Amino acid sequence: MMQHLTNSSARAFALEWVAAWNAHDIERVLSHYAEDVAFHSPFIAIFAEEASGHLLGKAALRTYWAAALENLPDLRFELLDVLLGAGSLTVYYRGHRGKVAETFFFSED
């Protein structure tokens, strides 16, 4: 997928990802991830009580993010920038914690 990603398609991906979050649509957000997604965040240790800070698979993300949305009913993201990397892209946005960056690594699928 990444070999075909352009600045325009990366921005479209990021805009759709932000829109999914702003709609509070968990399934739409999860559509951006593989079934065997590996997700890392320091907040996992706090809110999901997983000391490693890592979650594996969409089911684990669904549970984690559903709880987050329940606790943050006014959650809104604002896209600030999209940065392309080698086999990755970073979505730089403003959320409830201020400015945040999420990096996506893509497989060939």
Side-chain angles (χ1 to χ4, degrees):
M1 176 178 172
M2 286 306 294
Q3 62 268 28
H4 303 297
L5 198 60
T6 63
N7 286 330
S8 177
S9 61
R11 184 162 181 78
F13 176 93
L15 285 168
E16 165 52 27
W17 182 83
V18 166
W21 273 109
N22 287 345
H24 293 204
D25 186 338
I26 292 288
E27 295 308 315
R28 188 171 159 195
V29 172
L30 287 168
S31 73
H32 296 91
Y33 299 86
E35 286 298 324
D36 62 348
V37 59
F39 189 79
H40 311 275
S41 169
F43 294 100
I44 291 170
I46 298 166
F47 298 114
E49 298 179 4
E50 172 55 52
S52 69
H54 305 269
L55 293 176
L56 296 175
K58 279 188 179 182
L61 279 183
R62 183 179 289 108
T63 300
Y64 174 59
W65 285 337
L69 286 175
E70 187 175 314
N71 290 318
L72 298 165
D74 297 326
L75 181 75
R76 299 278 309 157
F77 293 163
E78 174 194 355
L79 183 63
L80 300 174
D81 205 354
V82 182
L83 309 167
L84 285 176
S88 66
L89 70 83
T90 298
V91 178
Y92 183 52
Y93 64 98
R94 185 181 335 273
H96 69 286
R97 299 182 319 238
K99 293 178 182 175
V100 182
E102 300 280 347
T103 300
F104 294 80
F105 293 93
F106 293 87
S107 68
E108 290 300 316
D109 297 341

